[in-house]
Amino acid sequence: MSAPNIKSSVFWEYSVSRYTKGDMAPLALLLQDNHKVNVNVLLLICWCLENNVIINLPQLKSVIAASASTDEKLKQHREKRKAASPEKGGEQTTYDALKAQELELERQQQQDIVASFNEQAVTQLGQQASPANIFNASIAAFINAYELRDNNEARQLVSLVVNQLS
């Protein structure tokens, strides 16, 4: 079976759709803000679960490394946007412009992630049950890549994210 490839535009649409469903956004932001998880990598893991794809730890570390070039820019821009929030006295037009710029940076980061993912020899499984009902080694790779194994809160948040997929 050939390794799956993702088109950047398809992954972007998947991410927007998945991020806006249920409690995914607040859970992903808790993982980002409290546990230093990259939301775009988290969304890639979700895509892997929903498409029966396994990405192992070395492969995932390569994907994470590919996101590093835009990660710091995104963090700085995100802080700038948050500081410009109308709730903190900023102007709505400035905030909206910063939000649009942040989304463009997110899209660039996703392109880097997808390019790296497409270079990996990931494993495609046959059709299986609902993602919430199976264990996919991609979750273990994710937990280990972000050193969350001994962090009960983070692992619980990851479980809640997986439950959003069912």
Side-chain angles (χ1 to χ4, degrees):
M1 190 173 285
S2 65
N5 278 325
I6 311 173
K7 290 184 179 178
S8 292
S9 60
V10 171
F11 185 59
W12 179 257
E13 292 302 320
Y14 168 84
S15 297
V16 170
S17 171
R18 176 51 63 207
Y19 188 77
T20 57
K21 282 186 183 171
D23 291 330
M24 182 64 78
L27 292 169
L29 292 176
L30 282 171
L31 282 163
Q32 173 186 276
D33 295 344
N34 297 343
H35 304 287
K36 302 188 183 348
V37 165
N38 181 310
V39 172
N40 287 317
V41 173
L42 176 64
L43 289 165
L44 177 68
I45 294 299
C46 292
W47 183 90
C48 286
L49 293 172
E50 291 191 300
N51 289 278
N52 297 316
V53 171
I54 294 177
I55 184 168
N56 66 32
L57 184 57
Q59 293 165 337
L60 186 58
K61 284 184 174 183
S62 292
V63 169
I64 292 169
S67 71
S69 65
T70 51
D71 214 29
E72 196 54 42
K73 285 185 224 173
L74 258 168
K75 287 176 186 173
Q76 291 173 0
H77 192 83
R78 192 175 295 124
E79 290 305 314
K80 185 177 176 182
R81 176 190 50 83
K82 287 178 181 179
S85 170
E87 295 172 1
K88 294 183 179 178
E91 292 185 24
Q92 187 67 47
T93 54
T94 301
Y95 180 82
D96 291 344
L98 289 169
K99 182 73 171 176
Q101 291 168 358
E102 185 177 340
L103 287 173
E104 188 53 39
L105 286 169
E106 295 278 3
R107 189 183 287 261
Q108 288 172 14
Q109 184 176 74
Q110 279 201 357
Q111 290 171 352
D112 294 342
I113 287 171
V114 165
S116 178
F117 175 84
N118 287 340
E119 292 173 357
Q120 308 303 317
V122 297
T123 303
Q124 174 93 47
L125 302 173
Q127 292 299 318
Q128 296 205 0
S130 162
N133 297 330
I134 63 166
F135 178 77
N136 182 310
S138 301
I139 299 167
F142 180 82
I143 287 169
N144 284 305
Y146 284 102
E147 300 177 352
L148 305 175
R149 191 172 54 212
D150 296 327
N151 186 328
N152 289 334
E153 178 187 332
R155 284 195 343 266
Q156 185 174 26
L157 289 169
V158 171
S159 291
L160 291 170
V161 165
V162 171
N163 288 336
Q164 294 292 304
L165 303 179
S166 57

